[in-house]
Amino acid sequence: MDLAFTPQQQAFRIEVRDWLAANVPAQPLQTFDTAEGFAQHRGWEATLNEGRWGMVTWPEELGGRGCDLIQWLIFEEEYYRAQAPLRVNQNGIFLLGPTLMEYGTAEQKARILPKMASGEEVWAQGWSEPNAGSDMAAIRSKAELRGDTYIINGQKTWSTRAVWADWLFGMFRTDPDSQRHHGLTFILVPLDTPGITVRPIPQLNGLPGFAEIFFDNVDVEVKNRLGDEGAGWQVAMATAGFERGLMLRSPARFQETARRLVELYTANRASADLDPGIRDAVLRAYLDAESYCLSTYQTACRLSQGGKIGAESSTNKIFWSELDLAMHATAMSILGARAELLPHAPAAAGVGNWLDGWLFAQSGPIYAGTNEIQRNIIAERMLGMPR
Ligand SMILES: Cc1cc2nc3c(=O)[nH]c(=O)nc-3n(C[C@H](O)[C@H](O)[C@H](O)COP(=O)(O)OP(=O)(O)OC[C@H]3O[C@@H](n4cnc5c(N)ncnc54)[C@H](O)[C@@H]3O)c2cc1C
């Protein structure tokens, strides 16, 4: 086993680092959960794309650089190190993009991926429904095929950033007589189609981070179906594998949080109120972030040798979501009563964005499939236990 980077990988790292140093906005952008912040982030995506950094793993003709997964991990490390803006199109580039690579036609890839890489088209995920969250096979929103058009009726909910997104990738029941995960189809829907109503839902911090979406006789051309009719479950499971197993949350995100946590601890360790157990929690966070990184490199190597992400992506999802919670809880303990202050409060010196991060960390065990559901998958599919 050789854990050292090759000279080519090191040169790639320097190229990424130099470009980011020259281009990352000096002032942080506003949160993408506001209209203005969303527009700023879309602009940043266009800048990234001009440098051909929109999604480095895609082929050059589709807006990428043809990089392998190790280079992608290096890119991510440099990206978080440079504190570059979070990716507003993450549902597109990290979830739908790889799914299109596997299931999309040549026409769909050429039509969709370059505009996704440039941020011209931002994507939302439309899977959850009021009565189909953990139990996704209970989806009831319907798509009826008439000629070369699907007529969609129903409701989706909790769709992240759908308030300002341009397109939605959704799961719809195309066979009205089907049960459970049979008869579902993966369809791509332009959100400006007549008959669609998008209603914002406030997150824990009060901002409209997600939306519910109503479909009332919405016409969608059949060329927007991804994979075969009735094969939506299989396509969605590929997307879920990317979401939980590799792409959505790269290790660099947590390594950067761990680095900031060490910094916060160092700045506050002289405080008389600091519980001695906090030092252990900080160390544990740092080590866990490093372990997650090594484990992800191992997954990337396995995939590049033809392996697939399987049920073990569920262990991954539990690990990163619990790590994120633990790191933010430790930061709250270090900050004590100050942790409750917003960054612009007069007495807030040095609290940074820990409170916002802590609020968002609460959702980690819920989105991308709840951790209880991941534990069911591990029990049944990895450990072979009865349902
Ligand atoms: C920040 C955030 C962003 C999201 N973004 C999107 C998005 O973009 N698109 C989208 O489609 N959805 C999105 N979701 C929705 C998310 O996928 C669902 O919230 C999640 O799947 C859980 O579904 P539910 O909310 O209906 O809860 P329920 O399924 O009703 O679950 C309620 C509780 O019961 C537990 N439970 C349910 N079934 C079982 C079982 N069989 N065994 C053990 N425990 C069980 C769950 O773990 C949970 O604790 C997002 C959610 C959050 C929090």
Side-chain angles (χ1 to χ4, degrees):
M1 189 186 298
D2 181 4
L3 292 179
F5 291 108
T6 64
Q8 289 84 351
Q9 287 164 343
Q10 280 164 344
F12 177 74
R13 183 185 291 284
I14 299 299
E15 191 186 350
V16 179
R17 188 174 292 182
D18 289 349
W19 189 88
L20 289 169
N23 289 281
V24 169
Q27 291 301 319
L29 307 184
Q30 289 182 38
T31 163
F32 46 36
D33 292 331
T34 61
E36 208 177 343
F38 189 89
Q40 290 175 355
H41 280 80
R42 203 198 275 272
W44 165 245
E45 291 294 324
T47 307
L48 270 177
N49 187 52
E50 279 160 25
R52 284 196 307 116
W53 300 109
M55 192 57 195
V56 294
T57 51
W58 296 352
E60 290 189 19
E61 65 277 14
L62 297 173
R65 288 175 172 248
C67 289
D68 61 20
L69 287 172
I70 302 293
Q71 285 173 305
W72 175 69
L73 287 168
I74 293 171
F75 173 80
E76 288 280 297
E77 283 168 14
E78 292 304 317
Y79 195 85
Y80 279 98
R81 185 180 170 278
Q83 301 190 350
L86 292 177
R87 307 297 300 271
V88 71
N89 210 1
Q90 52 182 279
N91 283 328
I93 55 178
F94 296 146
L95 307 188
L96 181 61
T99 314
L100 271 165
M101 290 295 174
E102 210 167 311
Y103 287 97
T105 61
E107 183 276 328
Q108 286 173 329
K109 289 182 204 170
R111 173 161 57 93
I112 296 169
L113 291 172
K115 288 184 182 168
M116 188 190 282
S118 68
E120 189 180 332
E121 290 178 350
V122 176
W123 287 80
Q125 181 183 25
W127 290 5
S128 302
E129 296 183 1
N131 292 309
S134 299
D135 188 12
M136 201 167 77
I139 281 177
R140 282 167 52 190
S141 293
K142 288 183 297 194
E144 186 193 332
L145 186 59
R146 283 194 214 147
D148 51 11
T149 304
Y150 283 108
I151 316 291
I152 299 185
N153 281 287
Q155 182 192 348
K156 296 289 175 184
T157 191
W158 309 127
S159 189
T160 298
R161 280 180 288 288
V163 183
W164 300 289
D166 307 289
W167 281 76
L168 171 119
F169 56 93
M171 291 269 280
F172 300 93
R173 196 161 290 284
T174 39
D175 176 354
D177 300 324
S178 62
Q179 296 288 326
R180 308 294 297 156
H181 54 279
H182 301 286
L184 295 170
T185 300
F186 201 111
I187 302 176
L188 314 176
V189 184
L191 280 170
D192 59 358
T193 314
I196 293 184
T197 306
V198 179
R199 210 182 278 167
I201 306 178
Q203 296 178 152
L204 208 49
N205 64 4
L207 297 172
F210 24 48
E212 52 186 349
I213 305 169
F214 299 87
F215 301 83
D216 182 9
N217 287 319
V218 173
D219 285 7
V220 178
E221 290 176 90
V222 78
K223 69 175 186 181
N224 290 319
R225 182 183 72 214
L226 183 55
D228 292 336
E229 177 154 320
W233 189 262
Q234 188 192 350
V235 183
M237 286 308 106
T239 312
F242 295 119
E243 186 173 23
R244 295 166 192 161
L246 188 68
M247 293 236 137
L248 184 67
R249 294 288 178 249
S250 79
R253 176 180 174 121
F254 305 105
Q255 288 174 298
E256 175 58 18
T257 308
R259 188 197 63 70
R260 288 193 299 117
L261 186 63
V262 171
E263 222 171 71
L264 185 74
Y265 172 73
T266 312
N268 288 278
R269 74 176 145 197
S271 159
D273 312 334
L274 220 51
D275 182 313
I278 287 179
R279 190 185 60 169
D280 291 349
V282 174
L283 263 173
R284 162 63 53 198
Y286 181 83
L287 292 174
D288 282 354
E290 292 301 305
S291 308
Y292 178 48
C293 174
L294 288 173
S295 147
T296 307
Y297 271 99
Q298 189 193 38
T299 305
C301 290
R302 196 161 49 79
L303 293 183
S304 47
Q305 287 158 7
K308 291 250 178 238
I309 298 186
E312 74 279 9
S313 61
S314 294
T315 56
N316 224 38
K317 198 259 149 167
I318 293 174
F319 192 84
W320 59 247
S321 55
E322 293 191 347
L323 170 60
D324 206 32
L325 270 176
M327 288 196 290
H328 284 89
T330 306
M332 294 287 109
S333 303
I334 295 173
L335 289 167
R338 274 193 305 148
E340 291 178 29
L341 297 176
L342 294 171
H344 50 266
V351 299
N353 277 327
W354 285 107
L355 175 60
D356 215 39
W358 181 79
L359 289 174
F360 187 73
Q362 307 307 310
S363 67
I366 304 173
Y367 68 83
T370 70
N371 285 9
E372 289 78 18
I373 295 300
Q374 305 315 313
R375 287 190 163 91
N376 286 349
I377 295 172
I378 292 166
E380 289 163 26
R381 293 209 249 138
M382 292 178 79
L383 304 176
M385 292 168 79
R387 282 176 70 83

